[in-house]
Amino acid sequence: MIIVDTALAKRHADNNPVRVAMVGAGFMGRGIALQICKYVQGMELVAISNRKLEKAKQAYTDADVLDVQEVSDVSQLEENIRQGKFSVTDNAMLLCEAEGIDAVIEVTGAVEFGTNVALRAIKNGKHIIMMNAEVDGTVGPILKVYADKAGVVFTNADGDQPGVEMNLYRFVKGLGVKPVLCGNIKGLHDPYRNPTTQEGFAKKWGQNPAMVTSFADGSKISFEQAIVANGTGMRVGKRGMHGPTVPSGTPLKDVVQSLYPLDELTEGPGIVDYIVGAEPGPGVFILGTHDHPTQQHYLNLYKLGEGPLYLFYTPYHLCHFEVPNTVARAVLFNDAALTPIGKPYVEVVATAKTDLKAGQVVDGIGHYMTYGLCENADTSNSQNLLPLGVAEGCVLKRDIPKDQVLTYDDVVLPEGRLVDALREEQKQYFADSDSSSREKLLSQLETASSI
């Protein structure tokens, strides 16, 4: 985002930095801290929260910020911000409530906790940047409603593949080309991977085995493509997406036009999907169409071929390097990298990774019991399918065979979770087509909410 660097340079020159706080100091959080503290002018990472304080302190230390103070209440944090000091805490809600913080970056990957952080930040007038596709893909549409009402930005991040896809989508659309497929490039897809199979890879890169598994088993890409669908109005062509596999290293441009049903792309709102094995991985791509013969001629001249599908791609996604761009876009331009446009269009549904037994408590995303599949939201609603984002902690009422999608009827939900309350609000809000009724409902929900 070329305009962002100029705006941040001005904030730096005016000694008026964008002040951001971060929740989560794991592998990705440490990278974000390093990037902001050492390489981004006009922005300050004023506070980090992590349940283990030592990790929050380590994130600052790795970024050569050595004078850090532990805080336990909002007043301490606010005073440190006024004095230009850096703070750590194990209470994430302090970051959501303190004055002097423009935006909060959520980097945990936890659904219930991340949902609480997002809503609290929104209700305290802070932009919220989600490196948490799991929350976004579960309750993002209703969180966007709350954010709009509060006058703040709810957004996924540049650098994560969904944000990079959306940047490319906006670029392609701006050319007058109609995007008909938003695609993600993967190197591996095996729904039966688990933390044991992925332990060695996780150890090599200093990552959490469950997080690594969520990528390998397809849950993460399902959430990522679901939020792209919710940001564009696209759908999936079938449950789980098409997800074609090609020989490793196959150039994307040589195969991509023939891998997806043309009628799904050209008749309707378009689809989100992915491909395994193609290069340049792990980039993203857009397939688009153009209906003007002269522009088609120009596109052919510019080496995009004769159509009917034109391929645009970004060969990389640089995760934490790009996150500060999202912060700046939200704070300085009120612009989201990727945010829901309205109702849910695609859901991620929980699917049995192995034979499950009645009485078992469902474990977390990227663990041993479930994986995620994309499904169109209208189908998910009509079949009462269980979202993967709410599956953890549910008690199974009956046996579920391997590869069967779970439904709400199959489980007992844990009591008192915010994510379940917001799911119900989301269902009610978008079921009502009358805008005045929606606003009345939202006011009632806000009044009833304890967050």
Side-chain angles (χ1 to χ4, degrees), residues 310-327:
Y310 300 99
L311 170 65
F312 301 82
Y313 61 87
T314 301
Y316 46 73
H317 69 289
L318 300 178
C319 295
H320 74 274
F321 286 94
E322 300 184 64
V323 172
N325 288 341
T326 317
V327 177

Side-chain angles (χ1 to χ4, degrees), residues 93-403:
M93 299 307 160
L94 302 186
L95 278 55
C96 300
E97 296 168 3
E99 294 183 3
I101 293 174
D102 299 306
V104 175
I105 309 171
E106 208 287 336
V107 206
T108 69
V111 176
E112 175 67 7
F113 179 74
T115 300
N116 276 271
V117 169
L119 189 57
R120 185 71 65 91
I122 288 167
K123 289 196 170 185
N124 282 276
K126 292 176 175 44
H127 304 293
I128 180 75
I129 288 82
M130 304 296 292
M131 288 204 75
N132 190 330
E134 294 83 354
V135 168
D136 200 342
T138 305
V139 289
I142 194 65
L143 287 172
K144 170 63 159 53
V145 171
Y146 276 104
D148 286 348
K149 190 171 180 64
V152 297
V153 172
F154 171 83
T155 179
N156 201 258
D158 294 280
D160 262 357
Q161 281 172 302
V164 179
E165 281 179 69
M166 197 65 191
N167 288 341
L168 185 57
Y169 172 92
R170 288 171 65 172
F171 168 77
V172 171
K173 194 173 180 181
L175 298 177
V177 175
K178 178 187 176 183
V180 297
L181 184 146
C182 290
N184 196 318
I185 305 170
K186 284 176 61 72
L188 168 70
H189 185 111
D190 178 358
Y192 310 119
R193 296 297 177 105
N194 60 52
T196 300
T197 66
Q198 304 311 114
E199 184 176 7
F201 183 91
K203 184 176 181 180
K204 175 182 177 180
W205 294 102
Q207 294 180 276
N208 182 308
M211 182 63 71
V212 171
T213 301
S214 73
F215 285 93
D217 73 8
S219 298
K220 178 69 76 171
I221 198 170
S222 295
F223 278 114
E224 291 183 340
Q225 294 307 86
I227 65 177
V228 172
N230 292 343
T232 61
M234 290 184 171
R235 309 293 198 274
V236 291
K238 67 174 187 175
R239 181 175 295 173
M241 301 179 282
H242 294 288
T245 298
V246 298
S248 181
T250 301
L252 186 68
K253 63 182 178 62
D254 291 349
V255 295
V256 72
Q257 297 205 38
S258 63
L259 292 176
Y260 304 98
L262 189 61
D263 59 339
E264 288 181 8
L265 306 185
T266 56
E267 299 175 11
I271 65 171
V272 296
D273 217 287
Y274 66 95
I275 186 171
V276 180
E279 291 291 339
V284 305
F285 64 98
I286 302 290
L287 291 177
T289 62
H290 207 299
D291 60 5
H292 197 288
T294 302
Q295 297 293 56
Q296 292 171 356
H297 179 75
Y298 279 117
L299 288 169
N300 193 16
L301 172 66
Y302 300 147
K303 311 303 182 186
L304 268 71
E306 297 181 353
L309 300 175
Y310 300 99
L311 170 65
F312 301 82
Y313 61 87
T314 301
Y316 46 73
H317 69 289
L318 300 178
C319 295
H320 74 274
F321 286 94
E322 300 184 64
V323 172
N325 288 341
T326 317
V327 177
R329 289 170 65 176
V331 175
L332 302 179
F333 300 101
N334 206 45
D335 181 54
L338 170 59
T339 197
I341 60 172
K343 67 180 182 179
Y345 289 91
V346 170
E347 299 270 18
V348 180
V349 296
T351 311
K353 188 177 286 190
T354 186
D355 291 337
L356 305 178
K357 301 298 181 183
Q360 285 184 303
V361 179
V362 179
D363 58 13
I365 297 167
H367 283 76
Y368 294 89
M369 296 175 69
T370 60
Y371 61 91
L373 292 174
C374 279
E375 179 57 274
N376 290 315
D378 53 358
T379 300
S380 181
N381 289 337
S382 67
Q383 298 181 11
N384 204 30
L385 303 183
L386 183 71
L388 183 61
V390 305
E392 182 176 2
C394 291
V395 179
L396 293 168
K397 295 180 182 179
R398 55 181 65 91
D399 294 352
I400 305 293
K402 181 179 178 180
D403 294 323

Side-chain angles (χ1 to χ4, degrees), residues 35-61:
Q35 184 69 12
I36 294 175
C37 293
K38 291 188 68 69
Y39 302 105
V40 180
Q41 62 174 349
M43 185 178 296
E44 286 185 357
L45 181 62
V46 298
I48 300 175
S49 174
N50 197 75
R51 60 180 178 172
K52 293 182 179 179
L53 271 176
E54 287 307 312
K55 282 195 172 184
K57 294 175 182 176
Q58 189 62 48
Y60 271 129
T61 299

